[in-house]
Amino acid sequence: MPRLALYALIVCLLSAGAAVVSFTRGSAWLGVVWVLLAGLSSNMAWYYLRKARTAPRAS
C-alpha cells in the first residue's frame, strides 16, 4: 500500500471517530466538518490506491 494512501486512510478513520464524538457531545456543526474531512480523505486514499495500481501497467 502506498504511503500517501495509508496516511489518507488513517486521517479518514480518525476524522470519522472525531465526527462520532462531536455528534454525541451535541456539536452538530463540528461533526459535519469532521464528516466532510473524512469524505475528502477517503477519496484521496482511493485515488492514491488506484494510481499505484495503474502505474506499473503504464510503464
Side-chain angles (χ1 to χ4, degrees):
M1 179 179 274
R3 188 180 309 169
L4 287 175
L6 182 64
Y7 290 158
L9 185 63
I10 291 170
V11 169
C12 178
L13 294 175
L14 288 175
S15 59
V20 169
V21 170
S22 295
F23 281 125
T24 56
R25 291 192 179 181
S27 179
W29 288 108
L30 189 59
V32 168
V33 170
W34 285 117
V35 167
L36 291 174
L37 183 63
L40 176 69
S41 60
S42 70
N43 285 339
M44 288 175 62
W46 279 113
Y47 172 76
Y48 288 125
L49 280 173
R50 285 179 25 191
K51 184 179 176 183
R53 269 192 228 146
T54 58
R57 294 179 193 162
S59 60

